[in-house]
Amino acid sequence: MSKRLSLEEYRNGILEGNRAVLSRAITLVESSLESDAELASQLVQEILPSTGNSKRIGITGVPGVGKSTFIESFGKLLLEKGHKVAVLAVDPSSQKTKGSILGDKTRMENLAADKRAFIRPSPTGTTLGGVSAKTREAMLLCEAAGFDVILIETVGVGQSETAVKGMVDFFLLLMLAGAGDELQGIKKGIMEMADGLFINKAEGENLLLAKKAKANYSNALHLFPLGENGWSPKVLLGSSIVGTGLEEVWEMISEFEGITVERGFWQGNRENQRLNWLNEYVQDLLGKAFIADTRVKNLMEASKARIKSGELNPIILAKKLTQLFLKS
Ligand code: GDP
């Protein structure tokens, strides 16, 4: 393991946009070592004033839909427009297997080679909450380092979408034409979360199918009630390989920003996200303290068999444990 830098070295390096220091700082916030936690939280506090100046975009879709291809092409387009792009990933699979579907080093090679881009593989962790907290902090560090578009990638199959939705401004769902929703493993809940859909691989023979899918999805989305942000989700199509439809995605996100900033929703959403961030930490810290409490541990151990056999009502034990924990 490389040596830690000082708080000042991390901060200055990040604020100068030094990608190597940024990378090491993300390793610091991802660390589960108790000895790193204090420095990591000080660092995040120090750079907070320099954060918030980016568009935060969540990108999801099942494996194979073309997320990394899309991000590579879309990312390059954004670089051409003069933006600096950071790509982060939330990948629940990496917790179990340590092998991650997202963010491995062989993906997005072209984008990764560009100095104006920064790509970070998914952190590993024991809980989704832990992984998403780390991703959120990594995002803030990237913003402080001057990246003004943050793309957060996630596999569109489970809970991690909710976590990512909770840290982005705009949530984009990638889909394929000609495969039913069930086949794509996309849950209705994820459709409801999306601010925009992009039907990928819409080229050649697939184009006609993609156009039909676009009409179908547009109809389906119109059945959902209009969000409080006043935005009606859009369906676009294109090809990440050919490079079509990507410009329209950026236009859609800009239009979304225009409308929601005017209505105060963009800012309000971020304010709520910060409050949720606090709540997540409170729950996390409480949970850890609870589990580490010896009295709680002892009673839990002593009652386990009766819970397992169904003899003891869990709610009664939960209350007892909590009362015990709260007694100082
Ligand atoms: P991910 O698992 O969602 O990240 O998907 P990938 O980006 O790895 O893409 C899966 C496969 O689809 C790869 O073989 C890509 O080359 C291919 N692919 C991605 N985008 C397109 C596209 O727009 N058109 C076509 N024809 N193939 C694509």
Side-chain angles (χ1 to χ4, degrees):
M1 194 174 59
S2 60
K3 233 175 110 273
R4 295 291 181 241
L5 302 175
S6 69
L7 178 60
E8 214 179 1
E9 285 168 326
Y10 280 120
R11 188 197 50 219
N12 294 346
I14 289 171
L15 296 180
E16 284 161 12
N18 181 324
R19 289 197 307 171
V21 174
L22 171 62
S23 200
R24 293 178 68 172
I26 295 178
T27 304
L28 177 76
V29 301
E30 285 178 355
S31 164
S32 45
L33 295 177
E34 204 55 50
S35 53
D36 286 331
E38 183 61 30
L39 183 56
S41 58
Q42 278 176 2
L43 176 60
V44 172
Q45 176 62 36
E46 291 245 334
I47 54 95
L48 268 187
S50 311
T51 65
N53 304 317
S54 80
K55 292 188 211 315
R56 304 166 176 176
I57 302 165
I59 296 175
T60 194
V62 295
V65 70
K67 290 180 297 299
S68 56
T69 314
F70 173 86
I71 290 174
E72 173 129 289
S73 304
F74 188 58
K76 273 196 272 175
L77 173 79
L78 297 178
L79 296 184
E80 281 161 22
K81 287 181 180 295
H83 294 287
K84 287 182 75 188
V85 180
V87 182
L88 304 171
V90 175
D91 178 1
S93 66
S94 60
Q95 293 160 39
K96 287 190 198 118
T97 59
K98 299 259 171 184
S100 126
I101 301 180
L102 302 175
D104 52 76
K105 292 207 174 84
T106 54
R107 302 162 85 240
M108 307 174 201
E109 273 168 353
N110 291 333
L111 196 59
D114 196 302
K115 284 203 172 60
R116 298 161 299 169
F118 179 81
I119 297 181
R120 180 78 181 188
S122 178
T124 51
T126 48
T127 61
L128 174 61
V131 169
S132 64
K134 290 167 186 178
T135 306
R136 192 196 297 267
E137 294 185 353
M139 172 177 84
L140 296 172
L141 295 174
C142 289
E143 287 181 347
F147 292 92
D148 66 343
V149 180
I150 316 281
L151 304 177
I152 303 184
E153 181 188 12
T154 173
V155 190
V157 286
Q159 271 184 311
S160 54
E161 283 60 50
T162 317
V164 172
K165 175 82 179 171
M167 59 180 102
V168 298
D169 304 310
F170 188 96
F171 199 60
L172 181 70
L173 173 60
L174 301 194
M175 303 283 271
L176 294 175
D181 296 349
E182 326 75 47
L183 282 181
Q184 298 195 32
I186 288 293
K187 302 201 172 65
K188 185 166 163 273
I190 295 180
M191 284 270 281
E192 280 175 2
M193 268 184 232
D195 299 302
L197 259 60
F198 181 76
I199 301 171
N200 192 32
K201 309 193 188 183
E203 82 258 322
E205 287 174 1
N206 218 0
L207 189 56
L208 197 63
L209 267 181
K211 284 183 176 162
K212 276 189 195 148
K214 179 180 169 175
N216 286 340
Y217 285 130
S218 299
N219 286 336
L221 285 174
H222 283 128
L223 297 177
F224 297 147
L226 195 67
E228 51 180 317
N229 58 5
W231 172 257
S232 178
K234 287 195 171 174
V235 185
L236 301 176
L237 51 77
S239 165
S240 301
I241 283 191
V242 181
T244 47
L246 304 175
E247 187 72 47
E248 286 80 357
V249 173
W250 187 242
E251 277 167 21
M252 166 171 69
I253 294 169
S254 305
E255 190 190 341
F256 175 89
E257 183 182 11
I259 290 175
T260 57
V261 164
E262 194 178 328
R263 290 173 144 248
F265 183 84
W266 180 279
Q267 306 84 318
N269 183 42
R270 285 201 174 181
E271 286 167 8
N272 289 335
Q273 288 177 342
R274 284 185 208 113
L275 280 181
N276 290 339
W277 187 22
L278 169 70
N279 287 334
E280 279 166 27
Y281 270 126
V282 169
Q283 285 180 26
D284 185 51
L285 291 179
L286 271 181
K288 280 184 185 149
F290 184 79
I291 288 167
D293 189 292
T294 329
R295 298 161 304 175
V296 168
K297 239 190 239 172
N298 291 342
L299 181 58
M300 191 103 91
E301 209 42 57
S303 320
K304 220 180 213 168
R306 288 198 297 150
I307 291 289
K308 277 188 178 171
S309 68
E311 199 183 319
L312 179 62
N313 180 355
I315 184 77
I316 292 180
L317 179 61
K319 277 187 186 158
K320 268 195 192 152
L321 289 168
T322 314
Q323 280 161 2
L324 206 57
F325 177 67
L326 293 175
K327 254 191 233 157
S328 53

